[in-house]
Amino acid sequence: MDHKEALVELEQRFAEIKDLQAGISILGWDQEVMMPPGGADARANTMATLTTVVHERTTARPLARLVERLHDEREALKPRQRRTVELARRMVKKATAIPSSLAAEIARTESRGLEAWKAARATSDFARFAPLLEHMVDLKREVAKLNHKKRKGSVYDALLDDYEPGATVESIDPVLAELSEMTTALVKHIASSTVVVDTTPLTGDYHAQGQREFAKDVVLAMGVDLARGRLDLSTHPFCGGVGPGDVRMTGRYDPRDLRPGLFGAVHEAGHGLYEQGLDPKRARSPLGGAVSMAVHESQSRLWENQVARSRPFWQHWLPRLAEMFPHLRNVSLDAFWRAVNGMRPSLIRVEADELTYNLHIVLRYEIERDLFEGRLRVRDLPERWNAGMQAKLGIVPENDAVGVLQDIHWAMGAFGYFPTYSLGNLYAAQIMEAARVAMPELDTHIAAGNLRPLVDWLHENVHRHDQVYAAPTLLKKISGKSLSVEPFRRYITHKVEAVFGPMPS
Amino acid sequence: MDHKEALVELEQRFAEIKDLQAGISILGWDQEVMMPPGGADARANTMATLTTVVHERTTARPLARLVERLHDEREALKPRQRRTVELARRMVKKATAIPSSLAAEIARTESRGLEAWKAARATSDFARFAPLLEHMVDLKREVAKLNHKKRKGSVYDALLDDYEPGATVESIDPVLAELSEMTTALVKHIASSTVVVDTTPLTGDYHAQGQREFAKDVVLAMGVDLARGRLDLSTHPFCGGVGPGDVRMTGRYDPRDLRPGLFGAVHEAGHGLYEQGLDPKRARSPLGGAVSMAVHESQSRLWENQVARSRPFWQHWLPRLAEMFPHLRNVSLDAFWRAVNGMRPSLIRVEADELTYNLHIVLRYEIERDLFEGRLRVRDLPERWNAGMQAKLGIVPENDAVGVLQDIHWAMGAFGYFPTYSLGNLYAAQIMEAARVAMPELDTHIAAGNLRPLVDWLHENVHRHDQVYAAPTLLKKISGKSLSVEPFRRYITHKVEAVFGPMPS
């Protein structure tokens, strides 16, 4: 078997693995959006068995041998072939590192953990959740150690790498520290500003059906293709399905508040555009799919914040929204734009504004890092949480339900995920600066309701590349620079000063 | 490993196979009901790969050895254990008999066949479909021969057995001949009757939303549990999903005709009640699931025809239907009941009444039998079809689109399926007679809108047994007798005479 044949076999084996993962993805969407409650048991079994089959196929000896052989001979490969082998090897190694008994125990702990978390949150009783969380942390620490073998740096790196390939504590620490410091200064400025943002235009009587129709118009204007996707309702909005041909976006509409539904829909559509923009020819290849969670999140946040919280965007859309909700006819563009840019420290991450949001992430990142590096015990989490909220946001949750128990991630064992949200904000700002350089008239287009130039630019520069380039390489190709806090600093400082007045120089 | 351990391993292996089949089932439902068109390619790959995995697992050597060992030692097993082994062995043998290359070629021919059939039907051009159909018949003949090895009787038996375990040409021939003869006599009687059934109350302005709401009320009254199922819309109504916890029924509503939507919904709900009535404890066992297609079809047809085309049923439901569609207030119960029991020869099977329907089936059965026994060539199908329609129904299709090309089954390679529809009618009548013996007040309940006694009786006597008893055994347990045409003869003769006047004695 020569290289070419070996690569063909590698692609064939991964094609089948990806077919099964696509099935898991659609079944996961169905579970959230369509499945009647009575289907839960059968679905749990189906998901567990399918996951086992994927694990078996990813860890199959012939595949491992194939990958290692191609890796040994990588100098003879073309760059894209080498990248294919690199991505395949990464998946095989991650799957092989974890014994199936450990994977099964994690799956069991996860489903028990979700139940325990729901119960604990409902009664705001952290102690009830702590034993399971402790067990989960132990299991994930074992996973991290197994994946971390022979590497330098923090054991937490192995978990970060699951969501953001190549990310390490060493690389993230200074970035998040800088983001934190900058944010704190801006939050102080807002607190001392005499400007008060009136957010009342966003609350009141907003019937869900009308919101849904308006959101659909916006999403279609963004270029979401409903011949290759769906918009549905679900308790927790998400973007799932199988890119690029079958992308499932969901939303939820609060009839008393415009924000969660509208900005949620734009957010998920940003994810959806990325998925729909992937190259169909690579869908079954190791090269196919989103390159990292931070890049994925950059696409959702770019649309949610940089576009849908901008003045040019509402110049076009406010009159249309006012057709659906006539009481908005009395609200000026300036007042509306200010309202969607209200910023103030709050307790709940998912309801936070685009500035203070990052402080919620930094808190979670520091807690995770310290948990896995052994400087923090699970039992001390609530204390650490509350102290962190006080230090970073100046407010303390009155109970754990709105504090340390608010997020689902830890119950699912998803440690290492949170930082990608803030990294996504940074990527979004750096990508958007590049887009503005390439399209000086961008705001004029947006103000005219023409979102296509931005969609097309993102497709050309981000979406269509799948995993051909690693995320940092892709960012350098787009912006000419490595990841930096500066573009976000420029963007958010400008926004804060526009709303709350200039910073003291 | 003793018997007990061997059985535990058998159950475990089948549990995983059933988990995967459940995934395939939900993905199949999604494909028909939810999937955007862009998802077709990825879904075809996922379905093919999942089917391969199921085939691999069903034909795995250790499973085959386990099954054969338990089969050899079957005398030492309890009856239910023996039945488990028998069912498991049947599945393993069927999967093992067909080389995977043949299975793959059938899958390929199926998808090409569906496209060719759609195109041929659209242009009413049988010649366009014939080459693929010929290839499909060759492939299925090969399958039949492989499964038929060392057995006596017709090679077509192996195909019948795929849908109706144990069914043979020898057992079906006389039953369908008798059914055919009886039906022909009744059709002649109707033709010579002076009674004209006015079906105009069933057509006109019936907005789909109202039909859908009414059908939902009926389906809920039948005892369908929407915490363990869904009702959706699809082009071709069907009942899918995963019984008993997650049953997916679909419907289609014609705003100009009450019949297809209403009776279709009741039909699918009959299937759905069977699926929801299966024993959850057996869901992952070889014993779990519907016992045969004829028994499944008996449940849909019992509700559709024996219940929803009965006078007591409309005694309760007509006033409710008239609330939704007020022009029905002027239609008497008798006129409405006669309208839903109009009977006359027609060209299209799925639109046929409950009497002439069976002649459509007999025609297809005879054609399939002769095709596989070598007495008929594919190229002669249209001629044979038209001659059969003339002989059995006295009408000849004006083109092949409404003749030999009307059904999807052959394009999918589903030979041996059609007879189960008529067997289902016979099972339904025989089961319903037993139900009436057990519940002499049944019509009184139905006339009062109380469908629970019938649902409960069917659950107790049919649904909850899964595959514990073979279909003929189950029927004997219920009715005390083997399958016979007599109960259906009594039922349909009574119906025909009630509508069209007494037969000459």
Side-chain angles (χ1 to χ4, degrees), chain A residues 148-163:
Chain A
H148 195 258
K149 263 187 219 160
K150 296 183 213 156
R151 279 204 263 168
K152 288 178 203 158
S154 169
V155 69
Y156 179 47
D157 289 354
L159 301 178
L160 292 169
D161 181 82
D162 279 346
Y163 303 100

Side-chain angles (χ1 to χ4, degrees), chain B residues 468-491:
Chain B
V468 170
Y469 310 107
T473 315
L474 181 70
L475 189 65
K476 211 158 192 175
K477 263 180 70 79
I478 294 169
S479 68
K481 291 190 185 132
S482 300
L483 184 68
S484 147
V485 176
E486 294 313 313
F488 184 72
R489 185 199 299 276
R490 286 190 282 270
Y491 161 73

Side-chain angles (χ1 to χ4, degrees), chain A residues 2-11 14 63-93 285-288 467-468:
Chain A
D2 62 15
H3 288 149
K4 212 171 167 181
E5 287 165 345
L7 276 164
V8 167
E9 192 186 326
L10 183 78
E11 290 276 1
F14 267 95
L63 177 58
R65 277 198 296 268
L66 202 60
V67 163
E68 286 313 316
R69 191 201 124 175
L70 284 163
H71 176 70
D72 289 345
E73 299 165 8
R74 64 190 175 280
E75 298 304 327
L77 301 177
K78 292 174 199 157
R80 244 169 235 210
Q81 295 174 330
R82 211 177 304 163
R83 177 74 176 151
T84 304
V85 172
E86 183 189 325
L87 288 162
R89 187 161 177 261
R90 176 185 149 82
M91 284 183 268
V92 169
K93 287 192 83 147
S285 157
L287 281 176
Q467 304 185 59
V468 170

Side-chain angles (χ1 to χ4, degrees), chain A residues 14 31 82 155 167 252 366 391 408 442 444 446 504:
Chain A
F14 267 95
Q31 191 169 336
R82 211 177 304 163
V155 69
R252 187 175 65 159
E366 289 172 358
I408 199 172
L442 186 56
T444 314
I446 293 174

Side-chain angles (χ1 to χ4, degrees), chain A residues 45-75:
Chain A
N45 287 325
T46 294
M47 293 301 243
T49 298
L50 266 171
T51 306
T52 308
V53 174
V54 167
H55 188 260
E56 277 173 17
R57 296 206 157 209
T58 315
T59 58
R61 278 282 173 84
L63 177 58
R65 277 198 296 268
L66 202 60
V67 163
E68 286 313 316
R69 191 201 124 175
L70 284 163
H71 176 70
D72 289 345
E73 299 165 8
R74 64 190 175 280
E75 298 304 327

Side-chain angles (χ1 to χ4, degrees), chain A residues 451-467:
Chain A
L451 303 174
R452 285 312 301 201
L454 180 56
V455 181
D456 292 344
W457 188 90
L458 289 169
H459 178 67
E460 180 63 25
N461 289 280
V462 182
H463 306 166
R464 73 183 177 88
H465 295 299
D466 293 77
Q467 304 185 59

